[in-house]
């Protein structure tokens, strides 16, 4: 369902034409760079596939003072959707020492960039298929990405997306981009569950993306007489309670008891009530002390009246 060309050698014109024909017929291709990559040879391949031009193999420290990291990610794309929310920071941690400096074609979509501004991952729709260009290495030769916890999810999502069949989907998750196909210049009208209508233009690569999928429900995309209904659902992971503490879940669904304040006024009143017994105790102790002092004074005066010598 997909072909990976990891740091490929120079391909002949006939081989490049065969690869392009495979993609146009509906195949998916993932091409990457590596230590053995010749920039000119890789550029001929990426240009033949319409992804863009490779200008050089760049060392990140020659562009900036430190190794590169991933600085920009399209989190709504299926490849990176797994890193949305709390996982966003993980994909931004790996460091890249070298990469192929790609100048993307106008019909290509950059899905991720390094903090140097250069593309890390780009996609190009070509005919019925797609090309994904990863500009660094899948090994540790140029990057510590394979040693990071986010590497396996990234590669898994990359492979799953590349191998995804061309069959039409009808179920999506909130925040996921919906791909719409057509002729360049055409426009899809997408009606949301709330009745809003968005226009999605088709680019030169024959694809457009509807990204306003924040509301769950049923959507309808229309282009002339063509109709494409699809549904957007809440992420099922939100209903998984295994990762939550039992006490936290209990507190979320059970109302607090009457002795727990819910407003500042109640908290102040309950604090005053709690303080009252302690104040009563201090008053009792103070009265006892005064009583002892008075008793001692009475006894002392009585001894003086009896003629008992007073101490000096």
């Amino acid at each position: 369902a997909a072909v990976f060309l990891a740091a490929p050698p120079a391909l002949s014109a006939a081989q490049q034409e065969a690869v392009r024909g495979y993609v146009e017929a509906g195949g998916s291709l993932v091409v990457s760079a590596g230590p053995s990559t010749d920039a000119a040879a890789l550029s001929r391949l990426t240009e033949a596939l319409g992804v863009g031009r490779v200008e050089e193999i760049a060392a990140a420290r020659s562009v900036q003072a430190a190794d590169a990291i991933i600085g920009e990610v399209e989190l709504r794309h299926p490849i990176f959707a797994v890193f949305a929310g709390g996982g966003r920071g993980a994909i931004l941690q790996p460091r890249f020492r070298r990469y192929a400096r790609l100048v993307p074609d106008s019909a290509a979509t950059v899905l991720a960039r390094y903090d140097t501004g250069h593309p890390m991952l780009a996609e190009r729709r070509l005919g019925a298929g797609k090309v994904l260009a990863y500009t660094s290495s899948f090994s540790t030769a140029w990057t510590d990405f394979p040693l990071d916890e986010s590497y396996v999810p990234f590669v898994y999502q990359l492979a799953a997306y590349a191998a995804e069949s061309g069959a039409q989907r009808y179920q999506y998750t909130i925040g996921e981009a919906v791909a719409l196909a057509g002729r360049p210049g055409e426009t899809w009208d997408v009606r949301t569950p709330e009745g809003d209508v968005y226009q999605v233009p088709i680019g030169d690569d024959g694809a457009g993306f509807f990204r306003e999928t924040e509301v769950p429900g049923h959507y309808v995309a229309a282009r002339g007489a063509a109709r494409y209904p699809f549904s957007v659902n809440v992420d099922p992971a939100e209903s998984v309670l295994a990762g939550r503490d039992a006490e936290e879940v209990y507190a979320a669904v059970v109302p607090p008891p009457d002795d727990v304040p819910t407003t500042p006024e109640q908290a102040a009143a309950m604090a005053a009530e709690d303080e009252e017994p302690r104040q009563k105790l201090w008053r009792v102790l103070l009265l006892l002390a005064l009583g002892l002092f008075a008793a001692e004074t009475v006894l002392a005066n009585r001894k003086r009246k009896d003629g008992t010598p007073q101490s000096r």
Side-chain angles (χ1 to χ4, degrees):
V3 171
F4 277 69
L5 292 180
L11 301 183
S12 66
Q15 290 173 325
Q16 291 181 9
E17 188 62 30
V19 171
R20 181 183 176 93
Y22 160 76
V23 175
E24 290 180 334
S28 294
L29 176 71
V30 179
V31 60
S32 71
S36 61
T37 297
D38 176 73
L42 182 60
S43 184
R44 288 193 294 270
L45 176 60
T46 55
E47 288 183 77
L49 296 171
V51 179
R53 182 180 73 260
V54 175
E55 292 195 335
E56 64 173 342
I57 303 301
R61 290 180 179 267
S62 67
V63 181
Q64 57 187 21
D67 292 337
I69 61 173
I70 302 174
E72 182 181 342
V73 174
E74 178 52 74
L75 292 174
R76 292 189 175 185
H77 193 277
I79 294 176
F80 294 106
V82 67
F83 300 106
R88 182 176 183 178
I91 194 64
L92 305 180
Q93 294 177 356
R95 298 185 175 274
F96 298 82
R97 298 179 293 276
R98 300 177 70 85
Y99 56 85
R101 187 156 68 92
L102 176 71
V103 178
D105 187 88
S106 59
T109 302
V110 177
L111 304 179
R113 292 182 184 272
Y114 303 109
D115 60 348
T116 60
H118 300 141
M120 175 264 196
L121 183 67
E123 178 181 8
R124 169 66 196 268
R125 296 278 178 168
L126 191 63
K130 55 181 175 282
V131 181
L132 293 158
Y134 170 53
T135 59
S136 193
S137 64
F138 280 113
S139 69
T140 57
W142 286 1
T143 173
D144 64 0
F145 195 12
L147 306 178
D148 192 85
E149 62 181 355
S150 61
Y151 179 73
V152 171
F154 166 75
V155 174
Y156 182 86
Q157 293 298 115
L158 177 65
Y161 178 74
E164 189 178 62
S165 68
Q168 187 70 65
R169 290 179 58 187
Y170 296 95
Q171 302 288 334
Y172 294 86
T173 303
I174 284 180
E176 188 175 356
V178 179
L180 300 170
R183 296 178 180 177
E186 292 182 334
T187 300
W188 283 87
D189 294 326
V190 182
R191 182 178 295 277
T192 70
E194 296 181 331
D196 298 324
V197 178
Y198 292 86
Q199 291 188 333
V200 180
I202 302 300
D204 294 337
D205 58 351
F209 293 91
F210 175 68
R211 306 180 187 279
E212 286 72 24
T213 56
E214 300 299 334
V215 179
H218 300 293
Y219 292 67
V220 177
R223 177 175 55 83
R227 292 290 185 275
Y228 170 44
F230 60 91
S231 297
V232 174
N233 303 310
V234 176
D235 188 347
E238 296 183 6
S239 63
V240 178
L241 303 180
R244 300 189 64 182
D245 183 79
E247 294 182 359
E248 180 184 359
V249 176
Y250 181 82
V253 298
V254 177
D258 295 337
D259 59 351
V260 176
T262 57
T263 65
E265 292 76 12
Q266 291 180 356
M270 295 182 70
E273 292 178 2
D274 292 340
E275 189 66 22
E276 183 64 23
R278 288 191 289 269
Q279 292 178 352
K280 289 181 178 179
L281 177 62
W282 278 109
R283 285 196 290 268
V284 172
L285 293 175
L286 181 60
L287 290 174
L288 287 175
L290 291 174
L292 290 174
F293 180 75
E296 183 181 5
T297 302
V298 171
L299 290 175
N301 292 332
R302 182 176 298 175
K303 288 181 180 180
R304 285 195 293 272
K305 291 178 180 180
D306 293 342
T308 305
Q310 298 183 20
S311 59
R312 296 186 179 182

